[in-house]
Amino acid sequence: MAFLTLQGIDKSFASLRTIKSVDLEIERGEFVVFVGPSGCGKTTLLRLIAGLEDVSAGRIELEGRDITHVPSAKRDLAMVFQTYALYPHMTVFDNMSFALRLAKVPREQIREKVERAAAILSLTNYLQRTPRQLSGGQRQRVAIGRAIVRAPKVFLFDEPLSNLDAALRGQMRVEIARLHRELGATTIYVTHDQVEAMTLADRVVVLRDGAIEQVGSPLQLYDHPANRFVGQFIGTPPMNFLPLERLSELGLRIPAEAHSVGIRPEGILLQEGGPIRADVELVESLGADTLIYLDCLGDKLVLRHQGGRSPVQAGTQVGLAPDVAALHFFDVQGQVVQHAH
């Protein structure tokens, strides 16, 4: 039996149906990331699990116990919000211990739990400071520490890094991954950033318009997207798409129901005299990789040149040859009909 189970979860606000028949099973100790564009329902789904919103239909079970209508405070879950939600007049110690004091946990146990969490999060030297004396990253660690001391069955993270700058986000991703390994806790993490999803998750849940598009490991989603939406959303830069007529000179065996073809940026090869011609619009030299932005008779493509510097320059025309083994065929509805081999 799965540790946390969602069965037919629906949520409507008046006539607006925001979550649509979501079924999902999460195993003990798993790190699951909900990802999708703004408005896809990922935060609403997290809030339904947390008990901060009422379910319109369906059932939520934790360790076989029905918690669908159990109050949030009694679900044994801990949530870390996008805004740190710290008490500005309290010290770090008091912020982290607040829930334990409300629960009348003995003073020595509180000190032991807070000091252990502070050690894990490198906050030991900051326990007597107030939030205004901390950096954004340290404040987020305090918010995480407040969840750790409660020792919940499930940690819920709602876009916890979105208020941090890019460098600090990268550092905090490493810390959250390390924390998950150390605690072995079941974690559900919401983000709109697919890089966070790819680097943190055991499994990724891709959402669109309140429904699940695909569930799988990061590389399963990257290598075998179920549809054009997932192919385009997962991966940086995203998957390229071409009409089938661009492949007419390659002599490929194309599935009868195919309408378009997708190919990752690294699957397009520069080839002098290649069967596909394209104009170079922009060259981004990133060091180890080079991204080349192309116009192929009105179709925009991005090519990733790996393992060296590319001599290609903007304003020139180049020949392309797609790696045939890297092609993904999609039908007119955008559903995959054949993956790359």
Side-chain angles (χ1 to χ4, degrees):
M1 179 183 290
F3 186 64
L4 178 67
T5 304
L6 310 183
Q7 299 173 348
I9 298 299
D10 258 63
K11 177 61 180 177
S12 297
F13 294 95
S15 61
L16 180 64
R17 190 176 175 215
T18 56
I19 299 295
K20 305 167 185 175
S21 302
V22 166
D23 294 311
L24 183 66
E25 293 188 345
I26 296 172
E27 300 301 329
R28 185 189 298 273
E30 198 172 17
F31 197 122
V32 172
V33 176
F34 294 170
V35 71
S38 296
C40 71
K42 53 190 183 292
T43 293
T44 299
L45 187 57
L46 192 75
R47 290 175 64 84
L48 292 172
I49 295 169
L52 300 176
E53 301 284 356
D54 294 327
V55 171
S56 300
R59 180 183 176 95
I60 303 172
E61 290 185 359
L62 179 62
E63 287 190 303
R65 170 185 168 227
D66 185 353
I67 62 168
T68 311
H69 303 294
V70 172
S72 178
K74 297 184 178 179
R75 292 195 180 194
D76 209 358
L77 312 172
M79 190 156 173
V80 178
F81 295 92
Q82 180 177 349
T83 53
Y84 315 128
L86 302 177
Y87 296 106
H89 62 287
M90 289 186 183
T91 64
V92 168
F93 184 96
D94 289 340
N95 266 284
M96 290 173 63
S97 63
F98 186 71
L100 300 180
R101 286 184 282 125
L102 282 182
K104 295 186 167 39
V105 174
R107 185 175 299 178
E108 277 309 306
Q109 282 188 36
I110 290 176
R111 179 163 296 280
E112 182 182 321
K113 288 174 181 287
V114 170
E115 288 180 351
R116 177 175 176 271
I120 291 171
L121 294 164
S122 302
L123 288 171
T124 301
N125 296 331
Y126 302 93
L127 287 174
Q128 297 311 312
R129 296 192 186 184
T130 56
R132 65 184 177 83
Q133 296 173 299
L134 304 177
S135 68
Q138 289 165 340
R139 290 177 198 172
Q140 191 56 275
R141 284 197 212 117
V142 175
I144 293 170
R146 188 172 50 193
I148 290 174
V149 297
R150 293 175 53 195
K153 290 180 178 175
V154 183
F155 285 97
L156 307 174
F157 289 87
D158 184 16
E159 304 207 40
L161 309 185
S162 60
N163 290 332
L164 306 179
D165 62 48
L168 198 49
R169 277 203 305 272
Q171 179 186 333
M172 285 298 296
R173 276 205 306 271
V174 173
E175 293 191 17
I176 288 173
R178 175 185 57 80
L179 184 65
H180 177 72
R181 286 196 305 273
E182 286 188 16
L183 298 178
T186 307
T187 302
I188 304 174
Y189 187 104
V190 162
T191 181
H192 65 275
D193 185 342
Q194 57 93 24
V195 174
E196 283 182 25
M198 294 288 284
T199 53
L200 286 172
D202 295 319
R203 282 192 304 152
V204 177
V205 179
V206 182
L207 290 153
R208 177 170 62 160
D209 296 333
I212 293 177
E213 292 288 324
Q214 190 173 358
V215 181
S217 72
L219 290 181
Q220 282 173 340
L221 268 56
Y222 188 85
D223 293 335
H224 303 290
N227 51 48
R228 283 184 57 140
F229 175 80
V230 175
Q232 204 158 26
F233 194 82
I234 298 294
T236 304
M239 179 177 280
N240 297 292
F241 294 95
L242 284 169
L244 292 182
E245 53 264 29
R246 295 282 183 272
L247 307 181
S248 58
E249 296 180 28
L250 300 182
L252 294 177
R253 187 175 172 185
I254 297 173
E257 60 271 45
H259 180 263
S260 62
V261 63
I263 186 167
R264 294 287 181 193
E266 62 272 18
I268 303 175
L269 311 175
L270 289 171
Q271 185 181 92
E272 191 172 343
I276 299 174
R277 306 298 297 175
D279 296 315
V280 180
E281 294 189 322
L282 176 67
V283 178
E284 289 184 343
S285 298
L286 305 177
D289 293 350
T290 301
L291 297 180
I292 303 171
Y293 294 80
L294 305 160
D295 185 303
C296 180
L297 298 176
D299 293 307
K300 304 298 182 180
L301 304 176
V302 183
L303 180 154
R304 177 183 279 121
H305 182 79
Q306 297 173 296
R309 313 294 166 87
S310 173
V312 170
Q313 295 183 339
T316 61
Q317 192 175 78
V318 293
L320 309 175
D323 179 357
V324 174
L327 299 178
H328 303 257
F329 293 99
F330 300 91
D331 65 19
V332 71
Q333 282 82 36
Q335 299 301 307
V336 72
V337 293
Q338 183 177 308
H339 279 302
H341 301 290

